[in-house]
Every structure is written in structure tokens, then in C-alpha cells.
Amino acid sequence: QSVLTQPPSASGTPGQRVTISCSGSSSNIRNNYVYWYQQLPGTAPKLLICGNNQRPSGVPDRFSGSKSGTSASLAISGLRAEDEADYYCATWEDSLSGRVFGGGTKLTVL
Amino acid sequence: QVQLQESGPGLVKPSETLSLTCTVSGGSVSSGAYLWSWIRQPPGKGLEWIGYVSYSGSTNYNPSLKSRVTISLDTSKNQFSLKLTSVTAADTAVYYCARDAPRGNYYSLDFWGQGTLFTVSS
């Protein structure tokens, strides 16, 4: 049971905009930065969004992150076939003094 | 470009100790401010943070694993390692090492190893 709650699946058609939610609490998301990772099949996770809404160098601006209160969202615009992957949110959990991940969302491009 | 590579035995018996090493190239584990982390992913499941060691050797572990985990640094070999004692089938997972880099006032797991599958089986 993950501390952060994500929908298990999401889907969209090429060119569409999709959002993936991440729900937490006052001991994690509210007071800490949120990160998003993309995991393509059979590969290691890749940092997609850091500091709630910052894109590391090389990440397309089709990917954007936001945070409000105890929830965060990842938005992908102009959906492409290569975006089909698992997406994980992460943050710091104050009560554990450690990092926590969401359960992951499998994005399917129809 | 920093690269990380995990290594270690892929199979151990229940109650034994898992020992994995992460070799870092393109950067130094003794460089100030970085944290060197381990994360695992059971087959078909999500990610679980195990813990990290800092450049100075200080550590922080997931409370659920703390009693069984040791993460340490070997600056002479530019490596860091993970030891997990008394393993059970629940410890079967792909184990990733990663660099946790400072970006302003927060840290990000920005470079990851490719991961290594570790199986517990008799």
C-alpha cells in the first residue's frame, strides 16, 4: 500500500493531452517537493519532473508538473506512442524521514 | 556524464545476506553534496526507496528495512554498496542504484543504474 495514490492506468490517443494524478497528505506532498519518473518497459526510471514543476535538461516541454495542497499532477500534451510507459510520483515523507513513491500509473497510447 | 552500474550475485538462499555494489564512473562518490541511493522494484510492482549514503558516509534508511540494511561508501574504488541481511522471498526485486543530486534546496534522483535482478530462492 503506497503512501501516495495514483490511478493504476491512464490512456489517450496520439496528440491528446492526458493528466496523471498523485494524491498524498500533509506529511508528504503538502510540505515537500514532488518528482515524476518515467519508466519505459524493461528500463530504469528516468527523472521527468523535479521540484514540483521543473524539467531537467533534455525533457520535452510536452511534460509538465503541478502541485496544489496535498495533490500533484503530471500532464502530457501532444501524446506520442513513445510516451507509453509507467509513471511514478515521489516525494519526501516527514513521518518516515525518507522518500516515498506512488504505486505507478501505466499509460497506454491507443 | 555520470554512469552507475550495479553488480552482485543474482541469487541467494532465504536467511542469507544480499550484497550489491554500485560502481560510479564520470563522477566521484566523494564529491560534496551528493547522496548515493538504492531503490528496489519487485517484479511487476512499484518502486521502493531503500536508503542512501552521503559523500561523508552518513546514512538514512527506509524505516521498514532499517534493521536489516547497511549502505556504505568505498571512495578508493568509487563505489557504494548495499547489504541486506536475513533475506526472504519478499526481497526478490530489481535493485537500482542512483545518484541523488542537489538542485537548489531539494534533491533529485537524476542518474540511475540499469538495475540488477536479485532473487531469493532455496
Side-chain angles (χ1 to χ4, degrees):
Chain A
Q1 199 81 351
S2 301
V3 172
L4 304 178
T5 301
Q6 297 180 236
S9 63
S11 63
T13 56
Q16 209 173 18
R17 182 178 188 271
V18 297
T19 60
I20 297 172
S21 63
C22 177
S23 177
S25 68
S26 57
S27 63
N28 44 64
I29 288 180
R30 183 181 292 282
N31 295 321
N32 295 287
Y33 289 101
V34 176
Y35 308 82
W36 289 91
Y37 296 89
Q38 177 193 58
Q39 187 175 32
L40 298 170
T43 69
K46 169 192 170 184
L47 180 64
L48 208 57
I49 297 289
C50 55
N52 299 332
N53 54 20
Q54 303 299 304
R55 283 186 306 278
S57 175
V59 175
D61 60 5
R62 302 187 296 106
F63 295 92
S64 62
S66 63
K67 187 184 98 167
S68 178
T70 60
S71 294
S73 292
L74 172 71
I76 309 172
S77 60
L79 197 62
R80 298 183 178 182
E82 60 259 36
D83 297 333
E84 190 161 285
D86 293 326
Y87 292 84
Y88 293 90
C89 61
T91 189
W92 187 263
E93 170 60 53
D94 293 335
S95 66
L96 301 176
S97 294
R99 287 185 178 278
V100 289
F101 290 91
T105 298
K106 183 175 183 62
L107 174 64
T108 300
V109 180
L110 302 170
Chain B
Q1 178 91 341
V2 174
Q3 293 186 320
L4 299 93
Q5 177 69 58
E6 304 89 350
S7 60
L11 176 69
V12 296
K13 293 181 170 55
S15 80
E16 293 185 343
T17 296
L18 171 159
S19 293
L20 294 175
T21 296
C22 183
T23 301
V24 179
S25 58
S28 171
V29 298
S30 55
S31 293
Y34 292 118
L35 307 175
W36 302 96
S37 300
W38 288 96
I39 301 98
R40 69 181 184 179
Q41 184 172 35
K45 296 188 178 181
L47 301 166
E48 180 181 31
W49 175 75
I50 299 172
Y52 63 69
V53 59
S54 76
Y55 69 99
S56 65
S58 63
T59 55
N60 186 24
Y61 302 134
N62 186 323
S64 68
L65 299 169
K66 189 172 184 176
S67 64
R68 300 193 291 130
V69 169
T70 302
I71 299 176
S72 58
L73 216 53
D74 186 339
T75 57
S76 66
K77 296 180 180 179
N78 213 35
Q79 297 175 335
F80 62 106
S81 64
L82 168 69
K83 289 191 189 302
L84 182 65
T85 63
S86 305
V87 298
T88 70
D91 295 310
T92 293
V94 174
Y95 284 74
Y96 296 99
C97 60
R99 187 183 80 168
D100 215 343
R103 294 176 66 99
N105 56 347
Y106 60 84
Y107 278 78
S108 293
L109 293 163
D110 60 353
F111 286 98
W112 295 60
Q114 65 186 28
T116 187
L117 176 62
F118 171 76
T119 303
V120 179
S121 175
S122 55

